[in-house]
Amino acid sequence: MSFETAKLNAFPVFMRVDGRRVVIVGGGEEALAKARLMAQSSAAVVIVAEAPEPALAEWAASAGAELLRVSYEAALLDGATLVFAATGDETADRAVVTDARARSIPANAVDRPELCDFFTPALVNRAPVAIAVGTEGAGPVLAQMIRARIDRMLSPSLGRLATLAASYREAVERRVARGVARRRFWKAFFTGSPARAVEAGDAHRAAWATEKLLQNQGVEPGHVALVGAGPGAEDLLTLRAQRLLMEADVIVHDALVPEAVIAMGRRDAERIAAGKRKGCHSKTQEEINDLLVRLARQGKRVVRLKSGDPLVFGRAGEEMAALRDADVLYEVVPGITAALAAAADFELPLTLRGVASSLVFTTGHDLKGAALPDWAKLAIDGATVAVYMGRSTAAEVAGRLQEAGLSPDTAVAVVENASLGARRLFHGTLSDLPALADRTDLTGPVLTVIGDAVAGANFARSEPLAAHAHIRANEESKG
């Protein structure tokens, strides 16, 4: 069985409208929607509406569009490049379309595809770059869904980058050989240091990077991005992180980063597991540092993908120092750290007016000394404390905080696999926390939140920590 490729009934084109009249006939929401769409261009928008709705009149005044408060006449279409019939009345719209066609002007009747000479697309605007998505009027909602997905993929600075590219086109044609060298140049321009400088809003550095790229005939030095993968759910990855993954030659990832997140990278990108996980062989931090430097010196675009945020217990400081010492270009892309995801899972306010105005991130591993850590003192003063990797140190954390004066009745929330579908939520008090150490069923990353603000969480979907401790005590007594 074979399928023939369907043919387009409407062929997509880009029409010049700079300074040209585009007439919109109608005074309501339909006319306002088309006016806003056309305002993304440099067309001279003219709205014909004898009694425009207030929202349309206000928009026209603020946008500088010409609003003609007159009854519609066919002569008002004279000299237009495009016409929109947006009256909301089929008979009136048909009359406008007929008048436009009599003048050889393409017309569009809003929500009446059978009357349209052209269809307005769902538009991704990165002027001068534009992406138009059309369905020939069959599925406007589908077009908007596709537009939204494309919009997320493209950097907001793409238009500025394209404008810079246009200004260098003649120089590139003069100084870079045709063929492989020129293609290499433009690929490096749109994904390398000029693009990063434009995204950072640094026009001077973008021009400098482009000149250097011209001198090197498009050969770009390597680059490392320390990227936060977030707490686990792939749809919590930032748009910038996703774009960098799509451009990466190599993805160096931690053990806790889910495969679904890693899979968002380029299909042909090399993947290197470099994470540290208890009980598993892993690279030392020095080996990871050396790997990043070596890959960058090979001219690779590297994404160092870290669970959560790179700057929160991610050892990014050591990696940045190694990259700086090696004179390797790098950037840091923040991610959603596990404490924020855990709070969202519990609907838990980490700060609460009149209760907690500060927040502490800690691992609890610094409780082994005789002196009480500063964060413990803050907890006693009312701060909310988020303890990372807290299952094994739970008893020690609880004991030291109670010794220091924190009430055993202080509220506690515990999340395993924050943000993921397999997450589990538990609640209790500081005195219940030591029970975590015996929970061998908790195999995913565990985060514990301690403080008076925790009392404001939603415990409807969580289990009491005390219940497990009670079951365990009964089993031991029977044994």
Side-chain angles (χ1 to χ4, degrees), residues 95-144:
V96 172
V97 170
T98 300
D99 292 339
R101 288 173 177 168
R103 289 161 173 75
S104 299
I105 303 170
N108 172 283
V110 178
D111 293 334
R112 307 187 200 284
E114 72 283 0
L115 295 180
C116 292
D117 298 319
F118 68 92
F119 301 98
T120 54
L123 187 63
V124 180
N125 185 358
R126 299 288 191 276
V129 177
I131 299 172
V133 181
T135 60
E136 297 183 7
V141 172
L142 174 61
Q144 290 294 340

Side-chain angles (χ1 to χ4, degrees), residues 140-310:
V141 172
L142 174 61
Q144 290 294 340
M145 290 169 60
I146 296 169
R147 183 206 66 79
R149 294 188 65 176
I150 295 172
D151 196 39
R152 289 195 296 268
M153 292 169 57
L154 302 179
S155 169
S157 64
L158 183 61
R160 297 194 300 274
L161 185 62
T163 299
L164 181 65
S167 71
Y168 275 93
R169 185 165 299 281
E170 184 179 326
V172 173
E173 291 177 357
R174 188 173 64 252
R175 297 168 59 181
V176 182
R178 289 180 180 272
V180 173
R182 196 172 292 177
R183 287 195 297 272
R184 181 179 61 214
F185 173 89
W186 286 120
K187 182 176 181 181
F189 176 89
F190 285 114
T191 62
S193 52
R196 291 191 293 273
V198 170
E199 189 158 10
D202 191 335
H204 178 76
R205 185 159 62 91
W208 176 86
T210 305
E211 286 294 339
K212 189 171 182 179
L213 197 60
L214 278 168
Q215 293 171 15
N216 296 336
Q217 294 291 293
V219 177
E220 174 91 328
H223 175 266
V224 177
L226 307 178
V227 174
E234 59 267 32
D235 56 354
L236 289 180
L237 198 70
T238 66
L239 300 181
R240 184 177 298 179
Q242 187 175 357
R243 286 196 297 270
L244 286 168
L245 281 169
M246 289 299 296
E247 295 170 0
D249 300 310
V250 184
I251 300 170
V252 181
H253 60 88
D254 279 348
L256 290 177
V257 178
E259 174 58 31
V261 174
I262 301 168
M264 297 176 80
R266 229 174 65 198
R267 188 175 299 176
D268 59 342
E270 181 183 1
R271 300 177 184 182
I272 300 175
K276 300 173 179 61
R277 198 161 193 175
K278 192 173 181 180
C280 300
H281 173 73
S282 61
K283 296 181 184 296
T284 66
Q285 187 59 54
E286 290 73 19
E287 288 173 332
I288 295 172
N289 296 347
D290 292 343
L291 173 66
L292 297 177
V293 170
R294 185 170 69 252
L295 290 170
R297 284 178 170 168
Q298 293 170 2
K300 304 286 189 181
R301 289 169 297 178
V302 183
V303 165
R304 172 70 172 107
L305 196 58
K306 295 171 171 289
S307 182
D309 183 278

Side-chain angles (χ1 to χ4, degrees), residues 361-436:
F361 294 165
T362 182
T363 64
H365 292 296
D366 56 352
L367 285 170
K368 296 179 181 178
L372 196 66
D374 289 339
W375 67 259
K377 298 172 187 174
L378 289 170
I380 295 166
D381 289 337
T384 304
V385 176
V387 184
Y388 288 66
M389 300 165 280
R391 190 179 73 82
S392 61
T393 61
E396 199 165 9
V397 168
R400 292 297 298 277
L401 287 177
Q402 289 180 78
E403 288 172 11
L406 192 62
S407 170
D409 295 327
T410 303
V412 168
V414 179
V415 183
E416 178 196 27
N417 294 321
S419 83
L420 295 173
R423 61 184 173 269
R424 288 196 290 173
L425 281 62
F426 307 91
H427 67 273
T429 63
L430 192 61
S431 61
D432 299 323
L433 200 55
L436 273 184

